[in-house]
Amino acid sequence: MPHTLKNLIPFAKAALAGLLLLVAGIGVVVYLFGVDHLISPSHIALIAVFGVIYIGWTIILYWALTASRHKDEARWREINREVTELTHDTRQLFQELSEEYNGQFQLAQEELHRVRDILSDAIGKLINSFTSMENQNRNQQQISLRLTSQQPHPEQAPVAGENNEEDEDNAAPPQQPSDVSFEKFVGETSETLSMFVESTIETSKSAMRLVEIMDSVSAEVEDILNILGEIESISKQTNLLALNAAIEAARAGEAGRGFAVVADEVRDLSTRSNQFSDQIRNHMTSVHQAVASAESEINALASRDMNFALRSKTRVQEMMDNIQTLNQEMEVSVEELKRIAEQVAQDVGTAVTSLQFQDLTSQLIHHIDQRIGAMQSIMSSIATIGDIKEGKDYEEASMECHQHLKQFKHAIIEATTLIEKVRHNPVAQEHMTAGDIELF
Amino acid sequence: MTLNVNLAINEGIARISLDGRFDFNSQRAFRSSYDDPLNDPEIHSIEIDMKAVDYLDSSALGMLLLLKERVEAANKSLALANCRGTVKQVLDVANFHKLFTIR
């Protein structure tokens, strides 16, 4: 609508009101005096007065209307200005809020991502180290088992990692060979000792038999020496007889000459026999001495102190006892090691299971991320609530004011709807995570 | 120090009591103590009393083994009596409990 035309509207309104008033005045006159009086000069004068009144009224009305309109317009302008200011301030506030929140949200998101990265890195490393700990633990157990069994298990080593039950099955039997090898050694030592003792006694026995034989040899030598004495006395007597015969032959003179020769020969034989006897005696004395020295040799050979055997036997017994104690201690230690290893394996398993919270945390972090995103979009939608320009005239001002209020309300409703929408979205996933959290 | 040997015969049992150090030097005394009982048909059992023996070496063990051979050859029985302390230990280590009746 053009401006000039718009200004005429109140005037037309005033004229229309004056006209209505005129018609009402005429009506009143007709009602009071009748139609005939309308044409008289007094009436014309009255009508003229009315006309003047009418014009004056119209002018007064127009002036009053115009004044009222201006007043209204000024008020509306004021209101509009205030609304505009308010919306402008609100918008500015929301924009600032939005900027601030978005900045904070972005930082929060970045920090959240960093938390997620740190967590995933740390948890990955933890799981790795726990797994390797478990492996080391298993190896340790294998080593301790092998140590006690003293036997390499080439077929056991690669299979070992697969399940624990097999390890438990194998744990008991390898104990046997170690006992055997240790005890075998001690047993062999004991056997060797017995053999040595036995052979020592056998040697002594043979030596004692030899001593008895030597005794009989000595007795024989004694007998021979006795016989030699006999022979010596015979030869002595023969010598005396030969001497007597020589004396008798000398006494007989020439007749006894031949006999003297025989007597000399006999004497000579006696001397020779005596010489032989001496020789034999010498030999026999040597034999006797040899037997005596042999006996002392045999003494040295046969006489063995038996305490060595007693000491050795005691030592073997001690060793046996020690081995038994060692075996028992080892058994206990292996049992303890096994128990500890099982405990560690269990603990590590629990730790690894617990570390799977990474999934949950990353899920939760994702949710937080989504929520922050939702908040960001809410803030953005609030920030778009429109700015309002100041109106120019009365009509526009009031219209625009309404328009702007409507827009503002609409924007608020849109933001609220978005908030509602956003609120329903992540909440749906919350139930799922709530169920999973039981793992902790 | 020598071994004192004492022989007592009672109801067909020749009891040879030993006293002192039983080693190589006691060979003759010990042997002479059992020569007669071995040849005596009246005697069916010989018992060696070790009560007073304070030491014995391998030659003593050899002598006991020789005696055992001879006693068995003469169809008689042999027993070692009153074995205690070191004597018992030495006899054990020589496994004599498997060869002799030890009381």
Side-chain angles (χ1 to χ4, degrees), chain A residues 44-80:
Chain A
I44 290 166
L46 204 66
I47 286 166
V49 168
F50 273 121
V52 169
I53 289 168
Y54 163 72
I55 289 161
W57 177 251
T58 301
I59 289 160
I60 287 163
L61 210 65
Y62 173 71
W63 179 79
L65 275 172
T66 309
S68 162
R69 205 188 66 119
H70 278 298
K71 210 174 153 189
D72 268 10
E73 204 175 343
R75 221 179 70 219
W76 275 115
R77 266 211 194 101
E78 180 68 18
I79 290 168
N80 192 21

Side-chain angles (χ1 to χ4, degrees), chain A residues 235-277:
Chain A
S235 108
K236 209 182 224 173
Q237 231 165 347
T238 309
N239 192 25
L240 278 175
L241 278 175
L243 194 66
N244 279 343
I247 291 163
E248 288 303 322
R251 197 178 285 164
E254 202 56 39
R257 189 168 284 271
F259 194 69
V261 173
V262 172
D264 273 352
E265 282 300 314
V266 168
R267 223 180 130 195
D268 199 36
L269 277 176
S270 153
T271 310
R272 276 177 68 192
S273 156
N274 222 10
Q275 280 172 351
F276 276 130
S277 165

Side-chain angles (χ1 to χ4, degrees), chain B residues 25-41:
Chain B
N25 296 322
S26 43
Q27 184 254 344
R28 279 186 191 94
F30 181 65
R31 190 184 159 195
S32 60
S33 74
Y34 65 72
D35 269 349
D36 287 343
L38 266 181
N39 295 323
D40 190 344

Side-chain angles (χ1 to χ4, degrees), chain A residues 260-369:
Chain A
V261 173
V262 172
D264 273 352
E265 282 300 314
V266 168
R267 223 180 130 195
D268 199 36
L269 277 176
S270 153
T271 310
R272 276 177 68 192
S273 156
N274 222 10
Q275 280 172 351
F276 276 130
S277 165
D278 272 348
Q279 276 180 1
I280 289 168
R281 186 176 290 277
N282 286 338
H283 281 301
M284 278 301 137
T285 310
S286 302
V287 167
H288 196 74
Q289 280 168 353
V291 165
S293 72
E295 199 177 289
S296 87
E297 286 301 318
I298 289 166
N299 185 357
L301 186 76
S303 300
R304 285 273 174 269
D305 186 50
M306 292 307 288
N307 283 333
F308 82 91
L310 290 183
R311 280 196 299 273
S312 301
K313 203 191 167 194
T314 312
R315 228 170 287 156
V316 166
Q317 191 57 47
E318 277 172 7
M319 204 184 275
M320 270 308 227
D321 292 347
N322 284 347
I323 286 167
Q324 206 140 13
T325 314
L326 198 73
N327 277 345
Q328 279 170 354
E329 280 172 6
M330 231 160 184
E331 216 169 314
V332 170
S333 300
V334 165
E335 205 55 43
E336 181 78 358
L337 275 175
K338 208 178 123 194
R339 200 185 59 72
I340 290 169
E342 277 168 12
Q343 187 64 45
V344 169
Q346 205 178 328
D347 289 351
V348 166
T350 310
V352 168
T353 312
S354 301
L355 282 174
Q356 280 159 1
F357 74 79
Q358 187 204 5
D359 291 347
L360 295 170
T361 48
S362 61
Q363 220 169 342
L364 287 173
I365 285 168
H366 182 64
H367 289 168
I368 294 167
D369 214 16

Side-chain angles (χ1 to χ4, degrees), chain A residues 194 197 200-202 204-205 208-209 211-212 215 295 298-299 302-307 309-310 313, chain B residues 24-25 27-28 31 34 55-59 61-63 65-66 69-70 86 89-90 93-96:
Chain A
S194 290
V197 166
T200 303
I201 294 166
E202 273 307 313
S204 293
K205 185 180 157 190
M208 295 325 285
R209 215 198 296 269
V211 169
E212 285 181 6
D215 272 0
E295 199 177 289
I298 289 166
N299 185 357
S303 300
R304 285 273 174 269
D305 186 50
M306 292 307 288
N307 283 333
L310 290 183
K313 203 191 167 194
Chain B
F24 187 85
N25 296 322
Q27 184 254 344
R28 279 186 191 94
R31 190 184 159 195
Y34 65 72
Y55 176 83
L56 78 168
D57 67 2
S58 65
S59 55
L61 297 174
M63 283 181 244
L65 283 176
L66 267 183
E69 266 182 26
R70 278 163 194 166
T86 318
Q89 283 175 359
V90 170
V93 96
N95 273 331
F96 267 34

Side-chain angles (χ1 to χ4, degrees), chain A residues 40-113:
Chain A
S40 67
S42 59
H43 290 159
I44 290 166
L46 204 66
I47 286 166
V49 168
F50 273 121
V52 169
I53 289 168
Y54 163 72
I55 289 161
W57 177 251
T58 301
I59 289 160
I60 287 163
L61 210 65
Y62 173 71
W63 179 79
L65 275 172
T66 309
S68 162
R69 205 188 66 119
H70 278 298
K71 210 174 153 189
D72 268 10
E73 204 175 343
R75 221 179 70 219
W76 275 115
R77 266 211 194 101
E78 180 68 18
I79 290 168
N80 192 21
R81 200 177 54 80
E82 277 175 8
V83 166
T84 310
E85 244 176 53
L86 190 69
T87 51
H88 180 75
D89 286 353
T90 312
R91 201 184 78 102
Q92 206 165 5
L93 178 71
F94 282 160
Q95 264 175 348
E96 276 171 18
L97 270 178
S98 171
E99 270 167 29
E100 185 59 32
Y101 274 115
N102 279 342
Q104 295 291 342
F105 287 151
Q106 205 148 3
L107 286 175
Q109 268 179 328
E110 276 167 19
E111 280 164 4
L112 216 56
H113 291 161

